[in-house]
Amino acid sequence: MKSRCENCIIRQFNSLRAMSKEELKRVSDTKTTKIIKKGDPIFSEGEKLNGVFCVRDGVSKLSKLSANGKDQIVKLASKGEVMGQRSVIAEESSNLSAVAVSDMEVCYIPKEGIVDALHQNPNFTVEVLRHMAHDLREADDVIVNMSQKTVKQRIAEAFLYLRDNFGEDAEGYLSITLSREDIANVVGTATESCIRIISEFKKKKYIKTSGKKIGVQDEKKLRDLVDGF
Amino acid sequence: MKSRCENCIIRQFNSLRAMSKEELKRVSDTKTTKIIKKGDPIFSEGEKLNGVFCVRDGVSKLSKLSANGKDQIVKLASKGEVMGQRSVIAEESSNLSAVAVSDMEVCYIPKEGIVDALHQNPNFTVEVLRHMAHDLREADDVIVNMSQKTVKQRIAEAFLYLRDNFGEDAEGYLSITLSREDIANVVGTATESCIRIISEFKKKKYIKTSGKKIGVQDEKKLRDLVDGF
DNA sequence: GCTTTAACCTGACTAATATCATGTTTTAGG
DNA sequence: CCTAAAACATGATATTAGTCAGGTTAAAGC
């Protein structure tokens, strides 16, 4: 049994909510749902995308390979986010790779349904535009953080960001579990430096760990650090 | 005598070209043209924008203040570029400040004409969307550069970027003249470090200078440096 | 359950870059 | 034209973060 986009609550979180009944029906008829295992790729940098991916469950990292062979994670996409929009809209091959960070369920939507709606339904287009404007603002903020904050500050900020955007479990650990290497690739540092700073934070009781899980323990201290106190 | 948007060649470079005759007429009727002196602000971070600014001549730096008091320049806008779009679309106050880097002529276009066109003319909306998708890709590239490249590489890249995007004069100097501090703020480094590296490049004959003007002299060496050779 | 591999961790060293101090040149204003 | 301020420049030093090398622990495959 295939579920319908019309009934998908995920839609409430993204631009698809601005689609008309008919547009949504078409999208639903052409979409395919995929199960993706943790660690598996969804698409790769340079690949021509013929559709977008709507995340129903799990988290994906969107990264770009740098000249020195390191992956810079530019965004983490979770429930409700649409991946590959930018490339489809700009009619360019993807500038990012997407890899599942946890087990995922995503819907693949062929671009035709999206592109046609963009040209015919201004409400939908404006909605997509708003989303992209938001992403652009976030990107500006990241640029400033990268150039003006220390690695320590960026790691502290990353934990707060992960907690605020992905939540925490009953014991106060982050719902999202990233490897140290992934965290390093989010903040743009060497894995060893990242591990060292995590150890330091743990020693200072800013955070707590349990296996791979990490939990924010002293929000204020972390925030002060980020703000430069 | 007031010039009309319909006849403005600048329009060819931006999303306004996708507007209908009527929409353009309205924009032209409500716009005002301003002369802005080098160093003068156009708008500031946090300010609520009630319109966008279309650059007719000159260059503006778009920057964001970081916690440690430094300005990070996120973009340089020149002829044909529209500033403030993002904020107007997202209906947020501006996340960036705009300051004239050279004497400028800009047209201020009240947002109503833009917003209404966005909701009524899908071609225009898609055109704006494409532009923003492009900007977002560039932002991703900047993030990777910031985190993965050395200051030296970023400065080398900046000179090549400035030449490719703003051109050079008959003697081979960059058409755009930035202070050392501005260059430092583009690449996200300390002014002293920037000056030092410029001196080094000059000594190695990668670039030449004449007063404040800088010219690319050895493109290949600069490019090799950027690419990590 | 054992073995292999990947992830995590720590120390020592090095390279890159920021900061501070100070001097010189250029530019702008009266 | 003169003077003050801003921009440019360079040296010395301190700090940050990257790299290399060697471990330990945890996880995955046979």
Side-chain angles (χ1 to χ4, degrees):
Chain A
M1 196 208 114
K2 195 175 162 183
S3 55
R4 305 283 309 169
C5 293
E6 294 93 315
N7 309 320
C8 181
I9 43 153
I10 296 309
R11 188 165 59 88
Q12 292 310 317
F13 303 123
N14 64 39
S15 320
L16 295 186
R17 67 163 168 234
M19 275 195 172
S20 69
K21 276 253 152 43
E22 295 72 36
E23 286 161 346
L24 210 51
K25 181 175 182 313
R26 177 169 168 203
V27 162
S28 197
D29 288 343
T30 56
K31 81 155 202 290
T32 53
T33 304
K34 301 181 182 192
I35 299 293
I36 294 155
K37 277 250 204 13
K38 176 177 173 174
D40 283 353
I42 300 168
F43 56 84
S44 300
E45 206 176 325
E47 193 176 312
K48 188 106 189 56
L49 298 184
N50 290 310
V52 300
F53 297 84
C54 177
V55 180
R56 277 171 65 100
D57 199 27
V59 179
S60 165
K61 58 177 172 182
L62 291 156
S63 66
K64 188 167 153 55
L65 204 64
S66 71
N68 56 30
K70 266 190 201 158
D71 244 11
Q72 174 68 40
I73 297 178
V74 168
K75 190 178 169 69
L76 293 165
S78 62
K79 190 183 284 193
E81 300 213 54
V82 178
M83 304 188 292
Q85 276 195 90
R86 203 208 62 76
S87 306
V88 165
I89 288 164
E91 298 174 54
E92 299 168 348
S93 50
S94 177
N95 62 324
L96 302 172
S97 298
V99 173
V101 159
S102 62
D103 289 342
M104 297 185 76
E105 192 182 339
V106 304
C107 292
Y108 174 74
I109 304 172
K111 69 175 171 193
E112 288 73 21
I114 304 286
V115 171
D116 290 351
L118 282 177
H119 283 94
Q120 282 148 23
N121 180 350
N123 287 336
F124 174 61
T125 316
V126 169
E127 195 62 32
V128 173
L129 190 54
R130 282 226 184 88
H131 260 269
M132 205 163 290
H134 175 77
D135 282 352
L136 190 55
R137 183 201 184 113
E138 281 199 340
D140 285 344
D141 290 345
V142 172
I143 290 170
V144 176
N145 281 343
M146 283 295 176
S147 70
Q148 309 285 1
K149 293 204 163 125
T150 64
V151 171
K152 211 174 280 191
Q153 290 177 307
R154 301 206 301 270
I155 291 180
E157 189 162 42
F159 289 142
L160 294 173
Y161 174 86
L162 292 174
R163 197 194 51 165
D164 294 348
N165 287 275
F166 300 92
E168 51 189 10
D169 63 21
E171 289 90 41
Y173 292 101
L174 297 176
S175 302
I176 181 176
T177 305
L178 296 174
S179 70
R180 307 297 148 107
E181 189 181 2
D182 280 342
I183 298 172
N185 290 344
V186 167
V187 303
T189 188
T191 308
E192 297 95 320
S193 301
C194 180
I195 289 173
R196 235 183 279 277
I197 290 168
I198 289 176
S199 300
E200 184 193 329
F201 284 178
K202 197 161 61 177
K203 210 170 289 172
K204 290 185 178 166
K205 298 265 192 334
Y206 295 177
I207 61 173
K208 58 185 176 182
T209 64
S210 165
K212 290 220 179 312
K213 289 200 139 326
I214 290 177
V216 171
Q217 208 168 14
D218 193 336
E219 166 166 8
K220 185 168 174 349
K221 284 278 176 53
L222 286 174
R223 180 131 310 282
D224 284 352
L225 210 171
V226 172
D227 295 338
F229 298 124
Chain B
M1 195 208 113
K2 195 174 161 183
S3 56
R4 306 281 311 168
C5 292
E6 294 92 315
N7 308 320
C8 181
I9 43 154
I10 295 310
R11 188 165 60 88
Q12 293 310 318
F13 303 123
N14 64 39
S15 321
L16 295 186
R17 66 163 169 234
M19 276 195 173
S20 69
K21 276 253 151 46
E22 295 73 37
E23 285 160 347
L24 211 50
K25 182 175 181 313
R26 178 171 167 202
V27 161
S28 198
D29 288 342
T30 56
K31 82 157 201 290
T32 53
T33 304
K34 302 182 183 191
I35 299 292
I36 294 155
K37 277 249 204 18
K38 177 177 173 175
D40 283 354
I42 300 168
F43 56 83
S44 300
E45 206 176 326
E47 192 176 312
K48 188 104 188 58
L49 298 184
N50 290 310
V52 300
F53 297 84
C54 177
V55 180
R56 277 172 64 100
D57 199 28
V59 178
S60 164
K61 57 177 173 182
L62 291 156
S63 66
K64 189 168 152 54
L65 204 63
S66 72
N68 56 32
K70 267 191 200 157
D71 244 12
Q72 174 67 39
I73 297 178
V74 167
K75 190 177 169 71
L76 292 165
S78 62
K79 190 183 284 191
E81 300 213 54
V82 178
M83 304 188 293
Q85 274 195 94
R86 204 208 60 77
S87 306
V88 164
I89 288 164
E91 298 173 55
E92 298 169 348
S93 49
S94 178
N95 62 324
L96 302 172
S97 299
V99 174
V101 159
S102 61
D103 289 342
M104 297 185 75
E105 193 183 339
V106 304
C107 291
Y108 174 74
I109 304 172
K111 68 175 171 193
E112 289 71 22
I114 304 286
V115 171
D116 290 352
L118 282 176
H119 283 93
Q120 282 148 24
N121 180 349
N123 288 336
F124 174 61
T125 318
V126 169
E127 195 61 33
V128 173
L129 190 53
R130 282 228 183 89
H131 260 268
M132 205 162 291
H134 175 77
D135 282 352
L136 190 55
R137 184 202 183 112
E138 281 198 341
D140 285 345
D141 291 345
V142 172
I143 290 171
V144 176
N145 282 343
M146 283 293 176
S147 70
Q148 309 285 0
K149 294 204 162 122
T150 64
V151 171
K152 211 173 280 191
Q153 290 178 306
R154 301 205 302 270
I155 291 179
E157 190 162 41
F159 289 141
L160 294 173
Y161 174 86
L162 292 175
R163 197 194 51 165
D164 294 348
N165 287 275
F166 299 91
E168 52 188 10
D169 64 20
E171 288 90 41
Y173 291 101
L174 297 177
S175 302
I176 181 176
T177 304
L178 295 173
S179 69
R180 307 295 147 109
E181 189 181 1
D182 280 342
I183 299 173
N185 290 343
V186 167
V187 303
T189 188
T191 307
E192 297 95 320
S193 301
C194 180
I195 289 173
R196 235 184 280 277
I197 289 169
I198 288 175
S199 300
E200 185 192 330
F201 284 178
K202 197 162 58 176
K203 210 170 290 173
K204 289 186 177 165
K205 299 266 189 342
Y206 295 177
I207 60 173
K208 58 185 176 182
T209 64
S210 165
K212 290 220 179 310
K213 291 200 137 326
I214 290 177
V216 171
Q217 208 167 13
D218 193 335
E219 167 166 7
K220 187 171 172 347
K221 283 279 175 55
L222 286 175
R223 180 131 310 281
D224 284 353
L225 210 172
V226 172
D227 295 339
F229 299 124

PDB file of all heavy atoms in Angstrom, chain A residues 1-8 28 31 33 56 105 107:
ATOM      1  N   MET A   1       0.834  -1.212   0.000  1.00  0.00           N
ATOM      2  CA  MET A   1       0.000   0.000   0.000  1.00  0.00           C
ATOM      3  C   MET A   1       0.857   1.245   0.000  1.00  0.00           C
ATOM      4  O   MET A   1       1.754   1.397   0.818  1.00  0.00           O
ATOM      5  CB  MET A   1      -0.902   0.014   1.244  1.00  0.00           C
ATOM      6  CG  MET A   1      -2.037   0.993   1.120  1.00  0.00           C
ATOM      7  SD  MET A   1      -2.548   1.590   2.759  1.00  0.00           S
ATOM      8  CE  MET A   1      -2.104   3.315   2.678  1.00  0.00           C
ATOM      9  N   LYS A   2       0.553   2.110  -0.941  1.00  0.00           N
ATOM     10  CA  LYS A   2       1.367   3.308  -1.110  1.00  0.00           C
ATOM     11  C   LYS A   2       0.653   4.494  -0.460  1.00  0.00           C
ATOM     12  O   LYS A   2      -0.514   4.754  -0.733  1.00  0.00           O
ATOM     13  CB  LYS A   2       1.537   3.540  -2.610  1.00  0.00           C
ATOM     14  CG  LYS A   2       2.636   4.517  -2.963  1.00  0.00           C
ATOM     15  CD  LYS A   2       2.792   4.563  -4.489  1.00  0.00           C
ATOM     16  CE  LYS A   2       3.535   5.796  -4.902  1.00  0.00           C
ATOM     17  NZ  LYS A   2       3.658   5.917  -6.352  1.00  0.00           N
ATOM     18  N   SER A   3       1.360   5.228   0.354  1.00  0.00           N
ATOM     19  CA  SER A   3       0.721   6.376   0.996  1.00  0.00           C
ATOM     20  C   SER A   3       0.696   7.566   0.038  1.00  0.00           C
ATOM     21  O   SER A   3       1.514   7.681  -0.852  1.00  0.00           O
ATOM     22  CB  SER A   3       1.474   6.732   2.269  1.00  0.00           C
ATOM     23  OG  SER A   3       2.831   6.937   1.990  1.00  0.00           O
ATOM     24  N   ARG A   4      -0.263   8.437   0.247  1.00  0.00           N
ATOM     25  CA  ARG A   4      -0.484   9.574  -0.651  1.00  0.00           C
ATOM     26  C   ARG A   4       0.084  10.866  -0.074  1.00  0.00           C
ATOM     27  O   ARG A   4      -0.062  11.152   1.105  1.00  0.00           O
ATOM     28  CB  ARG A   4      -1.989   9.778  -0.868  1.00  0.00           C
ATOM     29  CG  ARG A   4      -2.745   8.558  -1.369  1.00  0.00           C
ATOM     30  CD  ARG A   4      -2.533   8.310  -2.818  1.00  0.00           C
ATOM     31  NE  ARG A   4      -2.777   9.515  -3.603  1.00  0.00           N
ATOM     32  CZ  ARG A   4      -2.450   9.609  -4.892  1.00  0.00           C
ATOM     33  NH1 ARG A   4      -1.880   8.602  -5.509  1.00  0.00           N
ATOM     34  NH2 ARG A   4      -2.682  10.720  -5.555  1.00  0.00           N
ATOM     35  N   CYS A   5       0.684  11.663  -0.952  1.00  0.00           N
ATOM     36  CA  CYS A   5       1.225  12.954  -0.523  1.00  0.00           C
ATOM     37  C   CYS A   5       0.136  13.812   0.127  1.00  0.00           C
ATOM     38  O   CYS A   5       0.398  14.554   1.065  1.00  0.00           O
ATOM     39  CB  CYS A   5       1.794  13.720  -1.710  1.00  0.00           C
ATOM     40  SG  CYS A   5       3.258  12.962  -2.431  1.00  0.00           S
ATOM     41  N   GLU A   6      -1.087  13.708  -0.428  1.00  0.00           N
ATOM     42  CA  GLU A   6      -2.176  14.536   0.076  1.00  0.00           C
ATOM     43  C   GLU A   6      -2.367  14.352   1.581  1.00  0.00           C
ATOM     44  O   GLU A   6      -2.787  15.270   2.283  1.00  0.00           O
ATOM     45  CB  GLU A   6      -3.493  14.206  -0.648  1.00  0.00           C
ATOM     46  CG  GLU A   6      -3.501  14.569  -2.130  1.00  0.00           C
ATOM     47  CD  GLU A   6      -3.073  13.391  -2.996  1.00  0.00           C
ATOM     48  OE1 GLU A   6      -2.080  12.725  -2.645  1.00  0.00           O
ATOM     49  OE2 GLU A   6      -3.730  13.145  -4.013  1.00  0.00           O
ATOM     50  N   ASN A   7      -2.085  13.136   2.040  1.00  0.00           N
ATOM     51  CA  ASN A   7      -2.312  12.845   3.459  1.00  0.00           C
ATOM     52  C   ASN A   7      -1.039  12.920   4.295  1.00  0.00           C
ATOM     53  O   ASN A   7      -1.063  12.654   5.492  1.00  0.00           O
ATOM     54  CB  ASN A   7      -2.914  11.450   3.604  1.00  0.00           C
ATOM     55  CG  ASN A   7      -4.118  11.259   2.721  1.00  0.00           C
ATOM     56  OD1 ASN A   7      -4.929  12.174   2.594  1.00  0.00           O
ATOM     57  ND2 ASN A   7      -4.235  10.100   2.096  1.00  0.00           N
ATOM     58  N   CYS A   8       0.060  13.244   3.641  1.00  0.00           N
ATOM     59  CA  CYS A   8       1.352  13.182   4.325  1.00  0.00           C
ATOM     60  C   CYS A   8       1.555  14.419   5.206  1.00  0.00           C
ATOM     61  O   CYS A   8       1.547  15.548   4.724  1.00  0.00           O
ATOM     62  CB  CYS A   8       2.471  13.086   3.285  1.00  0.00           C
ATOM     63  SG  CYS A   8       4.113  12.986   4.003  1.00  0.00           S
ATOM     64  N   SER A  28       1.999  12.946  -6.250  1.00  0.00           N
ATOM     65  CA  SER A  28       1.816  11.701  -5.524  1.00  0.00           C
ATOM     66  C   SER A  28       1.830  10.501  -6.461  1.00  0.00           C
ATOM     67  O   SER A  28       2.380   9.442  -6.145  1.00  0.00           O
ATOM     68  CB  SER A  28       0.511  11.744  -4.743  1.00  0.00           C
ATOM     69  OG  SER A  28       0.495  10.754  -3.755  1.00  0.00           O
ATOM     70  N   LYS A  31       5.574   9.918  -7.616  1.00  0.00           N
ATOM     71  CA  LYS A  31       6.625   9.762  -6.617  1.00  0.00           C
ATOM     72  C   LYS A  31       6.901   8.282  -6.295  1.00  0.00           C
ATOM     73  O   LYS A  31       6.045   7.422  -6.501  1.00  0.00           O
ATOM     74  CB  LYS A  31       6.237  10.484  -5.325  1.00  0.00           C
ATOM     75  CG  LYS A  31       5.283   9.692  -4.431  1.00  0.00           C
ATOM     76  CD  LYS A  31       5.390  10.115  -2.980  1.00  0.00           C
ATOM     77  CE  LYS A  31       4.905   9.039  -2.039  1.00  0.00           C
ATOM     78  NZ  LYS A  31       3.483   8.794  -2.058  1.00  0.00           N
ATOM     79  N   THR A  33       8.679   5.931  -3.059  1.00  0.00           N
ATOM     80  CA  THR A  33       9.223   6.000  -1.707  1.00  0.00           C
ATOM     81  C   THR A  33      10.384   5.027  -1.583  1.00  0.00           C
ATOM     82  O   THR A  33      10.312   3.903  -2.088  1.00  0.00           O
ATOM     83  CB  THR A  33       8.138   5.654  -0.679  1.00  0.00           C
ATOM     84  OG1 THR A  33       7.030   6.530  -0.878  1.00  0.00           O
ATOM     85  CG2 THR A  33       8.656   5.827   0.741  1.00  0.00           C
ATOM     86  N   ARG A  56      11.079  11.854   4.703  1.00  0.00           N
ATOM     87  CA  ARG A  56       9.960  11.474   5.564  1.00  0.00           C
ATOM     88  C   ARG A  56      10.451  11.105   6.955  1.00  0.00           C
ATOM     89  O   ARG A  56       9.800  11.367   7.961  1.00  0.00           O
ATOM     90  CB  ARG A  56       9.204  10.287   4.976  1.00  0.00           C
ATOM     91  CG  ARG A  56       8.195  10.690   3.914  1.00  0.00           C
ATOM     92  CD  ARG A  56       7.639   9.459   3.231  1.00  0.00           C
ATOM     93  NE  ARG A  56       6.863   8.635   4.131  1.00  0.00           N
ATOM     94  CZ  ARG A  56       5.527   8.638   4.183  1.00  0.00           C
ATOM     95  NH1 ARG A  56       4.853   9.446   3.405  1.00  0.00           N
ATOM     96  NH2 ARG A  56       4.885   7.840   4.998  1.00  0.00           N
ATOM     97  N   GLU A 105      13.714   7.265   5.324  1.00  0.00           N
ATOM     98  CA  GLU A 105      12.645   7.001   4.376  1.00  0.00           C
ATOM     99  C   GLU A 105      12.471   8.309   3.603  1.00  0.00           C
ATOM    100  O   GLU A 105      12.223   9.355   4.208  1.00  0.00           O
ATOM    101  CB  GLU A 105      11.362   6.650   5.133  1.00  0.00           C
ATOM    102  CG  GLU A 105      10.302   6.078   4.235  1.00  0.00           C
ATOM    103  CD  GLU A 105       9.014   5.787   4.998  1.00  0.00           C
ATOM    104  OE1 GLU A 105       9.072   5.643   6.242  1.00  0.00           O
ATOM    105  OE2 GLU A 105       7.954   5.743   4.351  1.00  0.00           O
ATOM    106  N   CYS A 107      10.967  10.272  -0.154  1.00  0.00           N
ATOM    107  CA  CYS A 107      10.176  10.166  -1.368  1.00  0.00           C
ATOM    108  C   CYS A 107      10.908  10.856  -2.500  1.00  0.00           C
ATOM    109  O   CYS A 107      11.342  12.007  -2.352  1.00  0.00           O
ATOM    110  CB  CYS A 107       8.811  10.823  -1.184  1.00  0.00           C
ATOM    111  SG  CYS A 107       7.755   9.935  -0.032  1.00  0.00           S
TER     112      CYS A 107
END
